[in-house]
Every structure is written in C-alpha cells, then in structure tokens.
C-alpha cells in the first residue's frame, strides 16, 4: 500500500477548505441578493443554480474531513509546519474568488441565462468570498495550533524529544560497562565516541 505524501494531503485539505468557503460565500451572496426565499429560489433556478442544493450536501463532510486533517497535522508536528495565516488567507482568497467568478459565468452560459446581472453578483460575491477566505484561514490556523497542543498533551512526536546526545551516550557507556565489570573507579564513565 502506498502512502499519500503529506504535501498532497495538505493541498487536498486546503482545497476542501476553499471549496467549503466557496459554497458558503456563494450561498451568502444569494441570501443577500434575494432575501425572500421565493425570489431567491426563482433567481437560482433561472441562473443555472439548480444543482446547488445537491452540492451543498457535501459541505459539512468536506469541512469535517479538513478540520480533522488540520488537527492531526498539528498533532504530528514532526512533519508539519504551522501554516502562515497570511499565506493561507491568500491561497483561499485566490481559489475562492476565481472559483466564484468562473462558476457564475459557467452557470449562466450553461443555463442560457443572460449575463447582464453578473456585475452586481460579482460586486457582492467577491468581497464575501474574501471575508469567508479570511475566516477559513483563521480556522485552519486555530485548528493546527489546537492540534499541536493536543499532540503535546498526548505525548506526540514533539513531546518525545531526547535530551542532547552526550548524556545519552554516557548512559549507554555506563550501562554497557556494568555487566563487564568495568566500574572499578568512582569517576564517571568515559565517553566512547
């Protein structure tokens, strides 16, 4: 069985956060554009969003899997560095804003809906995507830090550090001398390096 490299898992987890954020920002945009449920349903139907309800069902599962990854990555500190808040926010913002704009154009083209209202949708939706991306980055960073604390509490790789090499060598030298009758003087054992 082959293992997936941590870098790829990290990219998939970040993409899951971006996808969840994209869906959340998309929903918030249309909630703001059409607060009335009936009007919003009609608008979503006309602009090619009929698939959105089915897609939203995957949001909680993606969010949970991503959250578990960031917690685990933090707990396994030996292979994982703390994600930078600014770098994570920038990556999420880029993915989400480009995804949102592309999704809106594609939905309208595929459904035959006019593009005349796209400007107002993007003017509201892109700032919302940026806000959701920033919140996603905060969440990723907080989960990673929480994972580090959890790993330290549970005695993860970062808690099992050995002391510097010299005392370890001395202990081994001392213990190996005992069975061979090598403790004739009262001084500390000699280093064997």
């Amino acid at each position: 069985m082959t293992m997936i490299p941590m870098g790829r898992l990290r990219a998939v987890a970040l993409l899951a956060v971006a996808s969840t954020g994209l869906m959340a920002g998309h929903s918030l945009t249309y909630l703001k554009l059409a607060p009335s449920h009936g009007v919003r349903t009609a608008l979503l139907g006309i602009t090619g969003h009929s698939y959105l309800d089915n897609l939203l069902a995957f949001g909680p599962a993606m969010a949970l899997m991503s959250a578990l990854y960031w917690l685990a990555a933090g707990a396994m500190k030996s292979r994982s560095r703390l994600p930078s808040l600014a770098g994570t926010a920038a990556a999420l913002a880029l993915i989400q804003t480009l995804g949102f704009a592309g999704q809106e154009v594609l939905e309208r083209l595929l459904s035959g809906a006019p593009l005349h209202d796209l400007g107002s949708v993007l003017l509201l939706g892109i700032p919302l995507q940026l806000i959701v991306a920033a919140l996603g980055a905060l969440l990723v960073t907080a989960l990673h830090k929480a994972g580090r604390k959890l790993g330290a509490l549970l005695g993860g790789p970062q808690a099992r550090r050995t002391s510097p090499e010299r005392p370890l060598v001395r202990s081994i030298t001392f213990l190996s001398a005992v069975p061979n009758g090598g403790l004739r003087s009262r001084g500390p054992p000699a280093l064997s390096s």
Side-chain angles (χ1 to χ4, degrees), residues 175-190:
L175 291 175
S176 65
V178 172
N180 297 326
L183 292 178
R184 293 190 184 112
S185 69
R186 299 198 38 82

Side-chain angles (χ1 to χ4, degrees), residues 16-17 20 23 58-70 139 143:
V17 173
T20 305
M23 287 187 277
F58 290 104
M62 283 194 306
L64 178 63
M65 288 186 321
S66 182
L68 290 174
Y69 168 81
W70 293 109
L139 188 60
L143 285 168

Side-chain angles (χ1 to χ4, degrees), residues 41-152:
T41 302
L43 177 62
L44 290 173
I46 292 169
T47 56
H49 288 83
S50 57
Y51 71 94
L52 203 54
D53 286 338
N54 294 329
L55 186 62
L56 289 175
F58 290 104
M62 283 194 306
L64 178 63
M65 288 186 321
S66 182
L68 290 174
Y69 168 81
W70 293 109
L71 275 171
M76 299 182 333
K77 183 181 166 192
S78 62
R79 297 269 333 204
S80 174
R81 60 183 166 81
L82 183 64
S84 120
L85 180 60
T88 304
L92 292 175
L94 181 66
I95 295 167
Q96 289 177 222
T97 54
L98 291 177
F100 180 72
Q103 185 178 5
E104 285 299 318
V105 169
L106 190 60
E107 288 163 345
R108 282 167 171 71
L109 290 176
L110 291 175
S111 68
L115 297 173
H116 65 81
D117 69 333
L118 193 57
S120 61
V121 172
L122 294 177
L123 280 174
L124 177 63
I126 288 177
L128 282 173
Q129 289 294 336
L130 294 174
I131 292 168
V132 172
L135 292 173
L138 283 170
L139 188 60
V140 162
T141 306
L143 285 168
H144 199 274
K145 285 181 180 178
R148 281 188 171 191
K149 288 180 181 178
L150 183 64

